[in-house]
Amino acid sequence: MKIYHLSHTDLDGYSCQFVSSFYMKNVKFYNSNYGKEIEDKFNIILNQIGDEKAIILITDLNLSLAQCASFENAIKDKEIKLMLLDHHQTGLECANKFKWYYLDNSRCATKITYDFFSAMFGEDEKLKEYCDVVNAVDIWLKDDAHFELGKVCMGAIAGAKEVNKVMFENEHIEYIFYMMNTFMKYIGLSHSHIRLDEDMHSIKKEFFKLLDDDTLSNLNSAYLIRLLSSNKDKFTIQYKGHKGILTHNIGSTSVIGNDFLVANPDYDFFLDITSKKTLSFRANGNLDVSQVAKELVDGGGHVNASGGFYAGFKDAYIYEPIKAQIVDLINKKSL
């Protein structure tokens, strides 16, 4: 039976999934912040499950009473088991009403998840220690021996922006798990928090390195270009007969955009849209993107590098509606 694991987007939330991946192999991971995103991701999971038997595990996310009732009703006629493991006190009312909602505010969600799985499948001392590190920082045990290492781990996960989770969900979680596996190697070392902090740049480079060494920026760019190039159909857009690629919050647009166009000469432009509604265009000499930016959003700039602001853009945590808005904008403005 497959497990669909929905969790929060911080160290504790991702670490819950790290634990479930240690004990279970048939797991699909989804991540969400609070609010409506939880409902949208839950519905995505339901669509993925279809009529199959499955388990939906939710961790480190506290739901509202309305969400709980809605989720329970949604699986009423399906062979789906729902479980929630959390530690936020604001979920107490839900925990008292719904038997599948487990709440314990004395431990972080990662520790709850570890205790749940290890009770069935056995302890693992190294993983248990890692969960203690997460617990120390997540519930802020300042006098705990693991606290300072936990702070570095928390900052590293919060800053793990190199692999966009909207565009590359599976690769993003792979990157997060790689870092967590690395964190475990520092537990018990003298001045572990300082050593991990000093090593983080090299740790990131090692993940992206394929053959030769390079700067982190160049290694990350090469990695993302491989992902974009192997998923061209999903990310391709058209503008007046010119083929382009659309990214979302890709970061380092100048480096990645230009490198992609060099690696893919059949593409004429690269467009990145951010959560702040800004558009960044890059081109390879086959299209004047300053005119494209002007036509689409009254922007402008240079022939091969331009930008603009799309006031009507509504940010999303799923790629498809992001692309749909840009395609619609192009269609309306280029009639």
Side-chain angles (χ1 to χ4, degrees):
M1 187 180 295
K2 192 166 186 175
I3 298 175
Y4 294 80
H5 189 169
L6 175 63
S7 198
H8 195 206
T9 55
D10 62 358
L11 175 68
D12 193 21
Y14 284 120
S15 294
C16 293
Q17 294 176 322
F18 184 63
V19 170
S20 69
S21 73
F22 178 87
Y23 284 105
M24 307 296 291
K25 301 307 175 190
N26 197 18
V27 187
K28 171 67 176 169
F29 300 105
Y30 301 82
N31 294 92
S32 173
N33 225 311
Y34 294 106
K36 188 177 181 297
E37 185 175 355
I38 299 175
E39 298 161 29
D40 290 344
K41 288 294 179 72
F42 187 85
N43 288 330
I44 289 172
I45 292 171
L46 287 182
N47 289 333
Q48 287 284 319
I49 294 173
D51 296 325
E52 298 177 9
K53 293 182 179 180
I55 296 171
I56 298 177
L57 172 62
I58 302 174
T59 54
D60 199 34
L61 289 167
N62 65 268
L63 308 182
S64 66
L65 284 170
Q67 286 173 326
C68 288
S70 173
F71 291 0
E72 189 168 83
N73 184 64
I75 65 168
K76 183 174 56 177
D77 300 320
K78 299 179 180 291
E79 294 185 277
I80 297 174
K81 183 176 179 62
L82 180 61
M83 294 186 294
L84 185 144
L85 306 175
D86 191 35
H87 69 122
H88 295 100
Q89 189 64 24
T90 45
L92 182 60
E93 192 175 5
C94 294
N96 289 334
K97 186 170 182 179
F98 297 92
K99 61 182 181 180
W100 47 266
Y101 197 120
Y102 179 81
L103 175 70
D104 179 1
N105 66 0
S106 69
R107 298 170 287 167
C108 72
T110 297
K111 199 164 177 62
I112 295 170
T113 305
Y114 172 79
D115 291 343
F116 173 78
F117 279 107
S118 63
M120 293 186 288
F121 303 114
E123 299 271 1
D124 182 89
E125 285 304 314
K126 200 66 178 178
L127 182 62
K128 183 178 182 180
E129 278 189 290
Y130 172 73
C131 294
D132 288 339
V133 171
V134 178
N135 188 68
V137 70
D138 195 71
I139 62 174
W140 214 250
L141 304 176
K142 293 203 302 184
D143 296 325
D144 191 287
H146 295 303
F147 180 71
E148 290 299 330
L149 179 59
K151 280 169 60 180
V152 179
C153 295
M154 180 173 64
I157 296 302
K161 309 295 187 184
E162 290 84 3
V163 184
N164 184 287
K165 63 186 175 67
V166 172
M167 297 183 64
F168 309 114
E169 189 173 44
N170 293 334
E171 291 80 7
H172 174 77
I173 201 75
E174 179 187 358
Y175 182 44
I176 295 294
F177 286 179
Y178 158 79
M179 287 203 287
M180 290 177 174
N181 269 308
T182 306
F183 296 163
M184 292 174 67
K185 298 175 183 177
Y186 287 78
I187 298 172
L189 299 181
S190 175
H191 302 295
S192 58
H193 58 298
I194 299 173
R195 294 169 73 169
L196 176 58
D197 183 61
E198 290 175 342
D199 291 348
M200 274 311 305
H201 187 76
S202 296
I203 289 168
K204 289 185 174 186
K205 284 181 62 175
E206 197 60 38
F207 178 83
F208 296 115
K209 192 185 301 180
L210 189 61
L211 293 173
D212 298 328
D213 195 10
D214 207 329
T215 64
L216 175 59
S217 175
N218 287 340
L219 291 171
N220 181 217
S221 176
Y223 172 86
L224 293 174
I225 287 161
R226 291 195 296 274
L227 291 182
L228 288 169
S229 298
S230 62
N231 294 277
K232 286 180 183 179
D233 290 346
K234 179 179 180 179
F235 304 122
T236 296
I237 57 174
Q238 299 283 340
Y239 173 84
K240 293 184 177 179
H242 292 274
K243 191 162 59 171
I245 205 89
L246 173 68
T247 62
H248 175 256
N249 287 333
I250 199 70
S252 302
T253 307
S254 292
V255 175
I256 297 169
N258 285 295
D259 286 353
F260 175 85
L261 293 171
V262 169
N264 297 272
D266 54 321
Y267 280 73
D268 295 327
F269 70 99
F270 183 101
L271 170 58
D272 183 69
I273 184 162
T274 73
S275 299
K276 295 181 179 179
K277 305 177 186 283
T278 58
L279 295 171
S280 293
F281 297 84
R282 294 296 180 272
N284 57 5
N286 294 329
L287 177 66
D288 182 351
V289 290
S290 68
Q291 289 302 310
V292 180
K294 181 179 180 180
E295 181 176 280
L296 295 183
V297 290
D298 292 323
H302 304 286
V303 171
N304 287 325
S306 293
F309 183 79
Y310 182 13
F313 175 69
K314 294 181 180 179
D315 198 20
Y317 25 80
I318 304 165
Y319 180 76
E320 286 71 20
I322 293 169
K323 181 178 179 179
Q325 291 180 73
I326 298 301
V327 171
D328 184 60
L329 175 68
I330 291 173
N331 290 339
K332 287 179 178 177
K333 294 287 187 174
S334 57
L335 290 175

